[in-house]
Amino acid sequence: MATPAAVAAIPSFFSSSQKNPSLLFHTSPSKLPFLNTTTTFFKPLFSPSPSLSFSSSSSPPPPSPLIARANTTPPSTTTTTTTTFHGLCYVLGDNIDTDQIIPAEHLTLVPSKPDEYRKLGSLALCGLPSAAYPIPFVDPNQFQSRYAIIIAGENFGCGSSREHAPVALGASGVSAVVAESYARIFFRNSVATGEVYPVESEGRICDECSTGDVVTVELDENRLINHTTGKEYRLKPIGDAGPVIQAGGIFAYARKTGMIASTAPA
């Protein structure tokens, strides 16, 4: 949860942003002590994909970054809760930039329009070079990906500051990205939009997983379990960003906690 000082900082920020709306898009991290993030687009209020089922299960965290698991039986379907994500993973390397996540020619799509939001999902990671990534992230003529979790290397989300990058991933059905490190602006946009959980790994997991492996990310336990290989890995805590993403983004979080007034019903 946010610290008392952090909570106290939010009302003053929103009060200032009402007088100067550009603050919402150009405020530096040092001016956002309650989150260290920016505010951008927001996901429409859609029902979860029919392929998702819901469950909650956890077990004690492992004592080391990598532990072999002799008997690991994964659930049979894609699963997501507020703290656990399960499904197929898509593995990427280092320096995956925003042009690869969503090319610039698609930035005219407006995420607040449901049809265009779905279109963004169909285009997620379409900028990847096919020679390096022959398996498409989203199958042709589909709006969502089979892969619920992305595993990547260093500097994920580098390049431009486009908010469409995390939005496209969220629209495609991605619940979490697990990367060795992130470009700061991508991390901030992910939290601000509430689209995906940007989780940092404690080691280079992308070298030990393969696209199509069945994995589970447990935020409460700070670990990733690869059910295909029988190994598990330590993750860094998501921290205060977690409740903001869970709420659906920075404005949704502020409304939920009473820091700004809720939108009046139509």
Side-chain angles (χ1 to χ4, degrees), residues 62-104:
S64 63
L66 171 60
I67 298 176
R69 294 170 63 92
N71 297 305
T72 303
T73 304
S76 58
T77 60
T78 299
T79 304
T80 180
T81 70
T82 56
T83 58
T84 300
F85 312 105
H86 174 85
L88 301 178
C89 72
Y90 193 90
V91 180
L92 300 168
D94 298 326
N95 302 311
I96 301 299
D97 62 36
T98 51
D99 278 321
Q100 293 172 302
I101 297 172
I102 184 70

Side-chain angles (χ1 to χ4, degrees), residues 61-62 64-69 72 83-91 149-152 176-179 199-206 208-210 213-236:
S64 63
L66 171 60
I67 298 176
R69 294 170 63 92
T72 303
T83 58
T84 300
F85 312 105
H86 174 85
L88 301 178
C89 72
Y90 193 90
V91 180
I149 297 162
I150 291 174
I151 298 176
V177 178
V178 178
V199 185
E200 288 188 84
S201 59
E202 289 193 353
R204 194 166 174 79
I205 301 177
C206 65
E208 300 194 25
C209 296
S210 300
D213 284 356
V214 180
V215 302
T216 298
V217 174
E218 296 180 347
L219 296 182
D220 285 345
E221 307 296 340
N222 299 319
R223 66 178 175 181
L224 180 146
I225 304 168
N226 187 323
H227 301 282
T228 302
T229 64
K231 296 178 180 180
E232 66 179 58
Y233 306 86
R234 296 289 291 171
L235 305 175
K236 296 179 182 179

